[in-house]
């Protein structure tokens, strides 16, 4: 593997780790907001959510997207390769989950009730989606 390819792959993996890690952290924040007595935590969670999303998650996803496109170019992977299409579909699913978590956190911060099972389901979705993506890449 060339040094350039290894560098771009490292950037892509770094973006993945920070994006998925931030998403999981926001799912945990949502879990905190569903707990009894969470009213005191709402302002702090709202600020932390916004900062985490804008300062970590968005740049991480941008990095992984640009590096992923560079990897497709450098490895001359066909854009119609079944594994790549499935991976992109899973990434779109995780993006949808990301948006759903943001909406639910914003609802919880203003005092709307969120079912305690939702953060658990979101965490399972993030975990399963990430594992399936890794399987597609490694298999």
């Amino acid at each position: 593997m060339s040094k350039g390819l290894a560098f771009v792959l490292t950037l892509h993996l770094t973006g993945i780790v920070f994006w998925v890690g931030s998403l999981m952290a926001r799912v945990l924040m949502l879990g905190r907001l569903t707990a009894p007595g969470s009213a005191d935590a709402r302002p702090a969670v709202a600020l932390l959510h916004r900062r985490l999303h804008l300062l970590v998650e968005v740049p991480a996803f941008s990095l992984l997207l640009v590096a992923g496109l560079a990897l497709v170019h450098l490895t001359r992977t066909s854009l119609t390769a079944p594994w790549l299409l499935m991976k992109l579909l899973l990434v779109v699913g995780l993006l949808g989950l990301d948006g759903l978590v943001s909406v639910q956190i914003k609802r919880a911060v203003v005092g709307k009730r969120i079912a305690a099972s939702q953060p658990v389901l979101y965490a399972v979705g993030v975990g399963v989606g990430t594992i399936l993506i890794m399987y597609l890449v490694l298999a």
Side-chain angles (χ1 to χ4, degrees):
M1 180 182 307
S2 72
K3 287 184 179 181
L5 183 60
F7 178 72
V8 173
L9 182 59
T10 301
L11 288 177
H12 187 64
L13 291 173
T14 301
I16 291 168
V17 167
F18 278 92
W19 178 52
V20 172
S22 296
L23 176 55
M24 192 60 83
R26 291 187 320 117
V27 168
L28 293 174
M29 281 184 230
L30 181 60
R32 172 65 182 112
L33 290 174
T34 63
S38 66
D40 296 341
R42 287 182 191 151
V45 170
L47 180 63
L48 184 58
H49 164 258
R50 183 161 175 76
R51 286 184 178 170
L52 186 62
H53 181 69
L54 293 176
L55 299 177
V56 179
E57 213 171 339
V58 171
F61 186 79
S62 301
L63 176 66
L64 85 86
L65 181 63
V66 170
L69 292 172
L71 282 172
V72 167
H73 174 73
L74 290 172
T75 60
R76 301 192 194 310
T77 302
S78 171
L79 291 175
T80 59
W83 72 269
L84 183 59
L85 293 174
M86 184 59 70
K87 177 184 173 183
L88 292 174
L89 184 65
L90 288 167
V91 169
V92 168
L94 284 176
L95 278 171
L97 191 59
D98 192 331
L100 188 59
V101 168
S102 288
V103 167
Q104 295 293 10
I105 287 176
K106 288 175 185 175
R107 289 182 72 220
V109 164
V110 297
K112 294 188 178 174
R113 185 160 160 69
I114 305 294
S117 62
Q118 280 186 337
V120 175
L121 293 174
Y122 297 155
V124 169
V126 171
V128 168
T130 304
I131 288 168
L132 288 173
I133 289 170
M134 296 307 294
Y135 174 77
L136 286 170
V137 171
L138 298 174

